[in-house]
Amino acid sequence: MSALETVLVELVVILLIAATVGVALARRANIPYTIALLLVGVGASAIGLSHTIGLTRDLILLVVLPALLFQGGANVDLQRLRRNLLPVVLLAGPGLVLSILLLGAIGRYAFGYPVLVSLLFATMILPTDAVSVVAVFEDLGAPKRLSTVVESESLLNDGVGVALFTTILAVVVEATRRGGSPAALTSATDLARTVGFELLIASVGGFLVGVAAGHLVYRAMVVADDAMLGVSLTVVLAYGSYLLADALGASGAIAVVVAGLFIGDRGETEALDPQTRITVATTWSAVAFLFNTLLFVLIGLETPIEAFVDSAALVAIAFVLVVLARAAVVYPLVSAANGWLDESIARPSQHLIAWSGLHASIPIALVLGLPTDLPVALREELRALVFGVAALSLLVQGLTIGPLLDRLGLVQRSPPEEVYRLLTARLRGVDAAIATASELHRSEELPQDLYVEFCETYGREKNRLETAISQLLDRYPSVRRRAELAGERRVLESEKDAVMAAIKAGVVEGRDADRLLETVDERLERVDAGESDVRRLEETAFREFWTDAIDAYDLDVDRPWRDDEDGAATGPEET
Amino acid sequence: MSALETVLVELVVILLIAATVGVALARRANIPYTIALLLVGVGASAIGLSHTIGLTRDLILLVVLPALLFQGGANVDLQRLRRNLLPVVLLAGPGLVLSILLLGAIGRYAFGYPVLVSLLFATMILPTDAVSVVAVFEDLGAPKRLSTVVESESLLNDGVGVALFTTILAVVVEATRRGGSPAALTSATDLARTVGFELLIASVGGFLVGVAAGHLVYRAMVVADDAMLGVSLTVVLAYGSYLLADALGASGAIAVVVAGLFIGDRGETEALDPQTRITVATTWSAVAFLFNTLLFVLIGLETPIEAFVDSAALVAIAFVLVVLARAAVVYPLVSAANGWLDESIARPSQHLIAWSGLHASIPIALVLGLPTDLPVALREELRALVFGVAALSLLVQGLTIGPLLDRLGLVQRSPPEEVYRLLTARLRGVDAAIATASELHRSEELPQDLYVEFCETYGREKNRLETAISQLLDRYPSVRRRAELAGERRVLESEKDAVMAAIKAGVVEGRDADRLLETVDERLERVDAGESDVRRLEETAFREFWTDAIDAYDLDVDRPWRDDEDGAATGPEET
């Protein structure tokens, strides 16, 4: 078997296991998918499964990360990000620096490291992880606004973290090479100046590269007007902007996130052909999902269990300190930001922001990238510590974010709404049973008398359920309101699905397709904002956009189409 | 720069160049995209651009090919394939073997090779290439039926070709090792027996692996009911079935095509959630496009221009012989198949089939995979010959298929037809919205008053859309004609779905099931041929075949079914 074949076989096996886990979890999702994958990986490693695919720094930083950051950036709701930009930037920039200084100072005493090594550890472990956070939040259905804050912070602080790490690592390596203790080598002000300068270059440079590349590629996509070329171009954009920024000494991570934000936002609102938009978004989601799947299984497989057990106490202390260091900056910074926000971020949400900063793939990529210049013992220890804290972070925080959301009351469902959901769920079951019964009866698989009995039993239950639901809705207008909006949303979504299917099938293209999608999207947005869309349409004199398209044909659409009402109902598809 | 980084930079540069080519070609598509890429690759290689990414046998056969074959298989219209199965199987199996024997026999004199080497060359060069053919046909918008025949043949003969190649290669290597001339070593009957046996194992084994894996994964996708897991599972299916069949000594290429056919077909007609279907199809199209893009640039880059120039005369002769060998089997086999086909494949279409068999990536993968056991001079010469013929095939045939197609007359959409499509697309959206609204209303998730408002708003739009459509159709009879045929096709397809469901459920079996399906298929074919089927039924005294089955029961089916005529119009499908 050639090397490539071995790798392919292992990839297929990993994906097969992961898919099995996914299918098994599909029905009851108490455990987020990524965490389950991690556990499977750890389990496989514990029973000593041999494997040749391994995580390397390059694999994570150059292959996996650009894709995940690009997709993350493109998926951020830019309007919502703009409304929460201050806390996001505060947390991703000053917040990260402050927590690193804090953990660096404490770590000196807690782990007995020289201050520079302690800082290096803090720099590796503290960037929160867009990958893990997004995955967990998606699975749990966290409130939109909080997801936006935590996800965007995670996307941006990766860039800041990598830049800080590179600078501090250079100082540590230099110190080690000179043989002296790293402690006394650099003055604090010198260090601060170097790091501050690097950080500025990294952020500003990354931002500029991202904007420039994003703009160019976006224009090319508009000119190309082809879904497949759109995919090619976004691949070039994601990896190109990352590699280019890196080569220029700027932050690749920041560049690719900005490029992603740019494409996502402009793609939504401007001249991009809808088919291109759908194709590009779908493809990147699928790629991100596959990369995520592989990443988490591999992290599990690579976790050095023995070293982790050996230094269990240290890992536990480090984990607690990491959480505290994050909490120590989240509360004051978010509270400070609240003064400038239209709608402030309340205390329960602050708890969630503090607790949902997961530390996983970025720390692991960074610790795998420690150069061989460093003493072996130090590298091994840092590796055990970082993998250990990452695993604890994923397991402890990852598995408790869901319960915390419930406990903090951030998933806002009232008891009557719970009852409403229970009743409608049961009603759906009853309806399905009745439908199947009548189907079986029609196909002569259910005898008449049994069928009648079925109908009576279920019919009685259905009646009582419907009465209960209608009384519940009368008594709780807020439940009715939400039910109405949810209903409207589903109607509009199925309208959108049908339009997208028509676009994919090539029935409409270009500008027409765009208008069709835009119309639905606008209405979906209004429903999301809590406005009933149908009521609004009736109040305003809404003119459907397609009436423009038929202007040239001088058709009289307001004339009744047929005399009888029945004709209109069957529609022209059969003509 | 690490090795991985170098590879990434080169990939980004190649994609960037390719995308630029794509954007430049987007507006005027005289040159197929893949051919333009090939030319760019050859150009870059001519000016001596250095590059580290190279084509290897494993890269093509293990990474690129499974993806392209799977996507090709999933995209084949299985109904259309069934109606044209005979010519496809004849061309992919006996046709390929015959043309190899023919070219092998002639090549002995034309190139002066020993007969086994001549056969080896024929085996490498003659399998037509799904990759290239599909790419060119898609760009040019070839007639559906011919695409299906040529594409399916190309997908299937890859498996046959690879199996033949492996067997003949083993004999040649064995002969070379013993030092003797390969000529006298094996008796023709021995060779035929070995090759025939291997071919049988490869085809049957590959088919079985494809069906088994396809079935399993399809069931898992239905259970998972998740678009992203669907992508994971199809990745496992494509590469897994290929590697598994290969490991079992069967044809990976046949397995992956069958698996793809299986998923594509079942995905269309059965229990798969539409979002999963769209996501999986979109992702695979994008992956296939990216792989294709890289493949053709790399083929261009790797073309050994000097060797090609040196042996230009030989390459030209070989190209002519390859085309003639294909033509020599296409015309008699297709003519023979015509006897069994309902609608025969006319002479102009036969010209197209003969001419559109492109020889490119499979031959190149096979020649790159020639083992080092063979004499260096022979390997070099075969390499120059195969690359040369492949390049000529792509350029000469690829660039002339378009003009050849033009002679058959391509259908173009008129502006009123565009408007018609816009209106029907919107109508579908409105219908979907109404359907969901009434469903939600029925399940008490949408209150009465809101539902009424919905129905009024959408109903009004629906009315106006229907009026517009009906007036448009009155004014443009050609649009009406095409719309009628499309409508008939959909009605017949849903009839067929119901029949197939009944067959699957065991309601009808054997001869009756066959007759039921045949009846629908015949009518579908007539509609595809542009004949209105319903009108024809009215004109001729059509007697449904099932009336024979009830003759013995003395039933009076011609008695009016309901008193009013309207009942007959809605038809018995709803009873």
Side-chain angles (χ1 to χ4, degrees):
Chain A
M1 225 187 254
S2 69
L4 186 60
E5 199 168 349
T6 313
V7 168
L8 277 176
V9 169
E10 286 189 6
L11 285 177
V12 167
V13 170
I14 290 178
L15 281 180
L16 180 62
I17 294 172
T20 312
V21 170
V23 174
L25 285 179
R27 299 293 169 198
R28 54 222 124 87
N30 301 325
I31 303 182
Y33 175 64
T34 47
I35 312 272
L37 293 180
L38 181 78
L39 290 175
V40 167
V42 170
S45 147
I47 61 171
L49 220 70
S50 84
H51 53 100
T52 59
I53 309 179
L55 285 178
T56 61
R57 176 178 187 272
D58 274 7
L59 189 66
I60 300 184
L61 283 187
L62 297 180
V63 179
V64 175
L65 204 64
L68 297 176
L69 291 178
F70 183 77
Q71 200 258 342
N75 253 14
V76 164
D77 181 334
L78 203 53
Q79 292 189 338
R80 206 173 261 123
L81 174 58
R82 270 196 210 104
R83 288 198 296 272
N84 297 289
L85 195 60
L86 187 64
V88 167
V89 169
L90 277 182
L91 288 174
L96 182 63
V97 174
L98 280 175
S99 62
I100 286 173
L101 290 176
L102 206 61
L103 184 61
I106 301 171
R108 210 172 154 183
Y109 305 103
F111 313 125
Y113 290 148
V115 66
L116 272 176
V117 174
S118 183
L119 274 177
L120 190 66
F121 170 68
T123 317
M124 286 192 288
I125 199 70
L126 278 169
T128 58
D129 206 350
V131 183
S132 326
V133 173
V134 171
V136 170
F137 268 43
E138 263 176 19
D139 281 0
L140 295 173
K144 283 269 168 69
R145 186 190 183 191
L146 283 180
S147 321
T148 304
V149 170
V150 177
E151 290 176 21
S152 309
E153 180 209 348
S154 305
L155 289 169
L156 289 177
N157 74 12
D158 287 353
V160 177
V162 173
L164 277 172
F165 170 76
T166 314
T167 320
I168 295 181
L169 180 64
V171 178
V172 173
V173 168
E174 181 64 22
T176 316
R177 190 170 296 146
R178 291 204 209 159
S181 143
L185 210 114
T186 332
S187 77
T189 48
D190 268 8
L191 184 63
R193 201 177 306 133
T194 317
V195 172
F197 181 70
E198 291 288 335
L199 207 55
L200 192 74
I201 295 286
S203 320
V204 175
F207 180 81
L208 291 179
V209 170
V211 169
H215 179 75
L216 269 176
V217 167
Y218 175 76
R219 295 257 51 102
M221 285 169 76
V222 171
V223 173
D225 192 27
D226 177 278
M228 289 300 145
L229 285 176
V231 173
S232 272
L233 285 166
T234 51
V235 172
V236 170
L237 177 59
Y239 289 95
S241 63
Y242 189 88
L243 291 167
L244 181 65
D246 233 30
L248 297 175
S251 162
I254 292 181
V256 71
V257 170
V258 169
L261 280 171
F262 208 80
I263 287 290
D265 178 51
R266 307 193 55 130
E268 283 303 320
T269 53
E270 276 189 55
L272 222 50
D273 163 55
Q275 209 197 331
T276 304
R277 228 151 61 201
I278 295 171
T279 305
V280 168
T282 306
T283 306
W284 278 102
S285 303
V287 168
F289 180 82
L290 291 175
F291 277 3
N292 245 322
T293 300
L294 294 174
L295 184 65
F296 279 86
V297 175
L298 288 177
I299 290 180
L301 276 174
E302 298 265 325
T303 300
I305 307 178
E306 282 176 34
F308 178 45
V309 171
D310 288 348
S311 49
L314 205 59
V315 166
I317 293 172
F319 173 61
V320 173
L321 290 179
V322 165
V323 171
L324 289 178
R326 176 170 173 82
V329 301
V330 165
Y331 292 105
L333 285 180
V334 173
S335 301
N338 272 340
W340 279 270
L341 292 178
D342 294 334
E343 191 197 345
S344 62
I345 297 173
R347 191 45 59 103
S349 301
Q350 294 179 16
H351 295 323
L352 191 78
I353 292 175
W355 189 243
S356 61
L358 302 192
H359 312 269
S361 47
I362 295 284
I364 284 169
L366 295 179
V367 83
L368 288 174
L370 285 179
T372 46
D373 302 347
L374 291 183
V376 179
L378 182 63
R379 283 208 336 262
E380 293 285 315
E381 193 174 332
L382 284 175
R383 204 178 143 156
L385 212 53
V386 166
F387 266 92
V389 172
L392 274 187
S393 172
L394 281 171
L395 290 179
V396 176
Q397 293 176 281
L399 289 177
T400 51
I401 290 175
L404 191 66
L405 272 172
D406 276 342
R407 179 72 64 84
L408 294 174
L410 291 172
V411 184
Q412 292 145 343
R413 272 183 221 154
S414 58
E417 195 167 349
E418 297 282 359
V419 176
Y420 170 75
R421 278 160 183 270
L422 169 65
L423 294 179
T424 49
R426 178 66 197 144
L427 188 58
R428 268 190 235 176
V430 170
D431 281 341
I434 294 175
T436 308
S438 73
E439 199 180 293
L440 290 177
H441 178 239
R442 217 176 316 147
S443 62
E444 301 288 347
E445 289 175 80
L446 197 68
Q448 176 68 20
D449 50 349
L450 197 60
Y451 174 62
V452 171
E453 268 178 55
F454 256 121
C455 289
E456 273 172 16
T457 316
Y458 279 114
R460 224 171 10 239
E461 182 171 359
K462 186 177 158 81
N463 255 334
R464 296 170 63 225
L465 276 167
E466 283 172 347
T467 315
I469 289 171
S470 120
Q471 289 177 2
L472 196 71
L473 290 181
D474 280 350
R475 203 162 304 161
Y476 298 97
S478 70
V479 177
R480 170 185 292 276
R481 174 111 194 94
R482 205 159 311 163
E484 283 175 1
L485 284 176
E488 262 191 58
R489 185 158 230 296
R490 276 175 62 188
V491 171
L492 285 171
E493 269 168 359
S494 82
E495 184 180 336
K496 185 170 175 179
D497 279 351
V499 169
M500 299 222 301
I503 290 170
K504 260 206 77 68
V507 176
V508 272
E509 301 173 306
R511 187 89 199 105
D512 285 345
D514 233 3
R515 292 293 302 270
L516 280 170
L517 265 188
E518 267 166 30
T519 312
V520 182
D521 277 341
E522 273 165 27
R523 292 162 68 184
L524 268 171
E525 255 170 54
R526 272 196 296 276
V527 169
D528 279 346
E531 248 181 79
S532 170
D533 175 62
V534 169
R535 298 224 166 101
R536 199 190 129 278
L537 288 188
E538 277 203 304
E539 283 156 18
T540 61
F542 179 71
R543 185 177 146 87
E544 299 97 341
F545 86 89
W546 53 261
T547 50
D548 301 342
I550 58 167
D551 273 353
Y553 294 88
D554 191 30
L555 307 178
D556 179 15
V557 288
D558 292 318
R559 195 190 64 183
W561 176 51
R562 282 190 202 168
D563 288 331
D564 56 329
E565 276 299 302
D566 279 330
T570 33
E573 252 156 322
E574 280 137 53
T575 56
Chain B
M1 227 190 253
S2 69
L4 186 61
E5 199 167 348
T6 312
V7 168
L8 276 176
V9 169
E10 284 187 7
L11 286 177
V12 168
V13 170
I14 290 178
L15 281 180
L16 181 62
I17 294 172
T20 312
V21 170
V23 174
L25 287 178
R27 299 293 168 196
R28 57 223 124 88
N30 302 325
I31 304 181
Y33 174 65
T34 47
I35 313 272
L37 293 181
L38 180 79
L39 290 176
V40 167
V42 170
S45 147
I47 60 171
L49 220 69
S50 84
H51 53 100
T52 59
I53 310 179
L55 285 179
T56 63
R57 176 178 187 273
D58 275 7
L59 189 65
I60 300 185
L61 282 188
L62 297 179
V63 178
V64 175
L65 204 63
L68 297 176
L69 292 178
F70 183 78
Q71 201 259 340
N75 253 16
V76 164
D77 181 334
L78 203 53
Q79 292 189 338
R80 204 171 263 124
L81 173 58
R82 270 198 210 102
R83 290 197 295 273
N84 297 290
L85 196 59
L86 186 64
V88 167
V89 168
L90 278 181
L91 288 174
L96 183 63
V97 174
L98 281 175
S99 62
I100 286 173
L101 291 176
L102 205 62
L103 184 61
I106 301 171
R108 210 171 153 185
Y109 306 102
F111 314 124
Y113 291 148
V115 67
L116 271 177
V117 173
S118 184
L119 274 177
L120 189 67
F121 170 69
T123 317
M124 285 192 287
I125 199 71
L126 278 169
T128 59
D129 205 352
V131 182
S132 325
V133 173
V134 172
V136 171
F137 268 44
E138 261 175 20
D139 280 1
L140 296 173
K144 283 271 167 69
R145 185 189 184 193
L146 283 180
S147 322
T148 303
V149 171
V150 177
E151 289 176 20
S152 310
E153 180 209 349
S154 305
L155 288 169
L156 289 177
N157 75 10
D158 288 352
V160 177
V162 173
L164 277 171
F165 170 76
T166 314
T167 321
I168 296 181
L169 180 63
V171 178
V172 173
V173 168
E174 181 63 23
T176 317
R177 192 170 295 146
R178 293 204 208 158
S181 144
L185 210 115
T186 330
S187 77
T189 49
D190 269 7
L191 184 63
R193 199 178 306 134
T194 317
V195 170
F197 181 71
E198 292 287 336
L199 208 55
L200 192 75
I201 295 285
S203 319
V204 175
F207 180 81
L208 291 179
V209 169
V211 169
H215 180 75
L216 269 177
V217 166
Y218 175 76
R219 295 255 51 99
M221 284 169 78
V222 171
V223 173
D225 192 26
D226 177 277
M228 288 299 145
L229 284 176
V231 173
S232 273
L233 284 166
T234 50
V235 172
V236 170
L237 177 60
Y239 288 95
S241 63
Y242 189 88
L243 291 167
L244 180 65
D246 232 32
L248 296 176
S251 162
I254 291 181
V256 70
V257 170
V258 170
L261 281 172
F262 208 83
I263 286 291
D265 179 52
R266 307 192 54 130
E268 280 305 318
T269 53
E270 276 189 55
L272 223 49
D273 159 56
Q275 209 199 330
T276 304
R277 227 151 61 203
I278 293 178
T279 304
V280 168
T282 305
T283 305
W284 278 102
S285 303
V287 169
F289 180 83
L290 290 175
F291 277 3
N292 244 323
T293 299
L294 294 174
L295 184 64
F296 279 85
V297 175
L298 288 177
I299 289 180
L301 275 174
E302 299 265 324
T303 299
I305 306 178
E306 281 176 34
F308 178 46
V309 171
D310 288 347
S311 48
L314 204 60
V315 166
I317 294 170
F319 173 62
V320 172
L321 289 179
V322 165
V323 171
L324 290 178
R326 176 171 174 82
V329 300
V330 165
Y331 292 104
L333 286 180
V334 173
S335 301
N338 273 341
W340 279 270
L341 291 178
D342 294 333
E343 192 199 344
S344 62
I345 297 173
R347 192 44 60 101
S349 302
Q350 295 180 16
H351 295 324
L352 193 76
I353 292 176
W355 189 243
S356 60
L358 302 192
H359 313 268
S361 47
I362 296 283
I364 284 169
L366 295 180
V367 83
L368 288 175
L370 286 178
T372 45
D373 302 347
L374 291 183
V376 179
L378 181 64
R379 285 212 331 267
E380 292 285 315
E381 192 173 335
L382 284 175
R383 204 178 143 157
L385 213 53
V386 167
F387 265 93
V389 173
L392 275 186
S393 171
L394 282 170
L395 290 178
V396 176
Q397 293 176 282
L399 289 177
T400 51
I401 290 174
L404 196 64
L405 271 172
D406 271 345
R407 286 206 185 169
L408 297 170
L410 276 179
V411 215
Q412 281 184 338
R413 280 185 210 159
S414 58
E417 196 167 348
E418 297 281 0
V419 175
Y420 171 75
R421 278 160 182 268
L422 166 66
L423 295 180
T424 49
R426 176 66 199 149
L427 187 60
R428 270 193 231 174
V430 169
D431 280 340
I434 293 176
T436 307
S438 73
E439 196 181 294
L440 290 177
H441 178 238
R442 220 176 310 144
S443 62
E444 299 288 347
E445 289 175 80
L446 197 67
Q448 176 67 20
D449 50 349
L450 196 63
Y451 173 63
V452 171
E453 275 174 45
F454 255 124
C455 290
E456 273 172 16
T457 315
Y458 278 113
R460 217 165 23 234
E461 183 169 358
K462 186 177 157 83
N463 253 330
R464 297 173 61 228
L465 276 167
E466 286 171 345
T467 313
I469 289 170
S470 126
Q471 292 179 2
L472 197 70
L473 291 181
D474 279 349
R475 203 161 304 164
Y476 298 95
S478 70
V479 178
R480 171 182 292 278
R481 173 115 191 91
R482 208 161 306 162
E484 281 175 1
L485 286 175
E488 263 191 60
R489 182 159 231 294
R490 276 175 63 186
V491 170
L492 285 172
E493 269 169 359
S494 80
E495 185 180 334
K496 184 168 179 183
D497 280 351
V499 169
M500 300 221 301
I503 292 170
K504 266 199 74 67
V507 178
V508 275
E509 296 174 309
R511 186 88 200 104
D512 283 347
D514 277 351
R515 291 290 302 271
L516 278 171
L517 265 188
E518 271 165 27
T519 314
V520 183
D521 276 341
E522 274 164 27
R523 292 162 69 185
L524 267 171
E525 254 171 55
R526 271 196 296 277
V527 169
D528 278 347
E531 245 182 80
S532 170
D533 176 63
V534 171
R535 299 235 164 90
R536 198 190 130 278
L537 290 188
E538 278 197 301
E539 283 156 17
T540 62
F542 179 73
R543 188 175 143 87
E544 299 97 340
F545 88 88
W546 54 261
T547 51
D548 301 342
I550 60 167
D551 272 354
Y553 298 89
D554 192 29
L555 305 177
D556 182 13
V557 287
D558 294 321
R559 199 189 59 184
W561 176 51
R562 282 192 203 168
D563 287 331
D564 54 332
E565 274 298 303
D566 278 332
T570 34
E573 252 159 319
E574 280 140 51
T575 59

